Amino acid sequence: DAKTTQPPSMDCAEGRAANLPCNHSTISGNEYVYWYRQIHSQGPQYIIHGLKNNETNEMASLIITEDRKSSTLILPHATLRDTAVYYCIVRVGGNQFYFGTGTSLTVIP
Amino acid sequence: EAQVTQNPRYLITVTGKKLTVTCSQNMNHEYMSWYRQDPGLGLRQIYYSMNVEVTDKGDVPEGYKVSRKEKRNFPLILESPSPNQTSLYFCASSSPIGIFSGANVLTFGAGSRLTVL
């Protein structure tokens, strides 16, 4: 019973928008969706989170569907430094966070 | 600087030799958690703690112990390490942010790479 489902890998041309999808069809009404990224084997880094409305910060935008069963992280102008594994995360069972295996994004020069 | 500090960063040990990986945060966070990361399996939660003296099992607690005697520290204890505990370990902490009390942004440590021979 997967909590989140993401494509294992994606490529994106440098300077173009990277759109990373995530399915979280079992999400409950009061759970947030969080996005993190991990560069090499460093500690995961927070990017953005949302509940119902679309969100934007200096790093990315988050689009959440109306039924909240899926979301898309958008990196508007991908750079080589955005090459990383991106995790879509939901909180389950109170205070556990389900990470899944993420999407490995490669930004191509 | 707000951070989560793990030690040691790298450790090679032998089967059965007790070890402790320390984790300390300077952000006064109530919530702390340990994860292990293995190839192809993503991050899996080992234990978490809601506050001092309050701990609970995650998805893969077997072979591990934790304690939370102080708010800032959350050590991970391997009483009798085995080779299947060879992994990359991360500690994380959080407190609710903003006016949405249900949101928890995790701050991660740099990781501890453990090899058990």
Side-chain angles (χ1 to χ4, degrees):
Chain A
D1 182 24
K3 313 296 190 298
T4 61
T5 305
Q6 299 177 252
S9 63
M10 294 181 65
D11 293 338
C12 177
E14 187 177 19
R16 304 297 294 269
N19 296 278
L20 293 91
C22 178
N23 262 319
H24 33 78
S25 57
T26 59
I27 195 170
S28 65
N30 60 350
E31 281 183 15
Y32 285 78
V33 178
Y34 304 81
W35 283 83
Y36 288 74
R37 73 180 183 185
Q38 186 179 26
I39 298 172
H40 299 301
S41 294
Q42 298 175 18
Q45 175 192 23
Y46 166 78
I47 301 172
I48 198 168
H49 74 282
L51 183 62
K52 294 180 182 177
N53 301 317
N54 298 338
E55 303 288 344
T56 296
N57 63 19
E58 64 277 6
M59 292 181 69
S61 294
L62 176 60
I63 309 297
I64 302 173
T65 58
E66 194 168 343
D67 62 8
R68 302 206 336 110
K69 293 186 176 182
S70 65
S71 61
T72 300
L73 178 75
I74 301 172
L75 308 178
H77 306 286
T79 70
L80 299 179
R81 287 180 295 179
D82 292 323
T83 292
V85 178
Y86 288 77
Y87 294 96
C88 163
I89 296 151
V90 294
R91 194 171 65 174
V92 297
N95 277 292
Q96 289 187 253
F97 293 88
Y98 177 81
F99 271 76
T101 53
T103 296
S104 178
L105 175 69
T106 301
V107 180
I108 302 168
Chain B
E1 179 188 355
Q3 60 185 1
V4 176
T5 303
Q6 297 179 224
N7 280 297
R9 293 289 315 282
Y10 302 92
L11 179 63
I12 300 174
T13 189
V14 295
T15 298
K17 186 176 181 181
K18 180 180 178 179
L19 67 92
T20 299
V21 186
T22 64
C23 174
S24 181
Q25 50 93 4
N26 61 2
M27 296 165 282
N28 202 35
H29 284 167
E30 290 86 7
Y31 180 87
M32 296 186 74
S33 180
W34 276 102
Y35 297 85
R36 62 177 288 173
Q37 186 172 34
D38 303 290
L41 296 177
L43 277 85
R44 294 179 294 167
Q45 193 170 36
I46 304 171
Y47 270 95
Y48 64 96
S49 170
M50 295 294 291
N51 214 323
V52 175
E53 302 292 0
V54 181
T55 64
D56 210 344
K57 296 178 180 179
D59 295 320
V60 288
E62 295 79 17
Y64 305 94
K65 286 175 59 178
V66 292
S67 69
R68 189 88 182 274
K69 292 183 170 55
E70 304 167 283
K71 196 172 188 179
R72 64 182 291 125
N73 295 322
F74 190 44
L76 179 70
I77 304 158
L78 286 73
E79 294 271 4
S80 183
S82 61
N84 65 11
Q85 293 178 296
T86 293
S87 188
L88 178 59
Y89 292 87
F90 290 102
C91 180
S93 71
S94 86
S95 272
I97 64 170
I99 63 172
F100 302 107
S101 60
N104 298 92
V105 174
L106 292 164
T107 300
F108 281 85
S112 296
R113 188 171 291 281
L114 172 65
T115 301
V116 183
L117 301 176

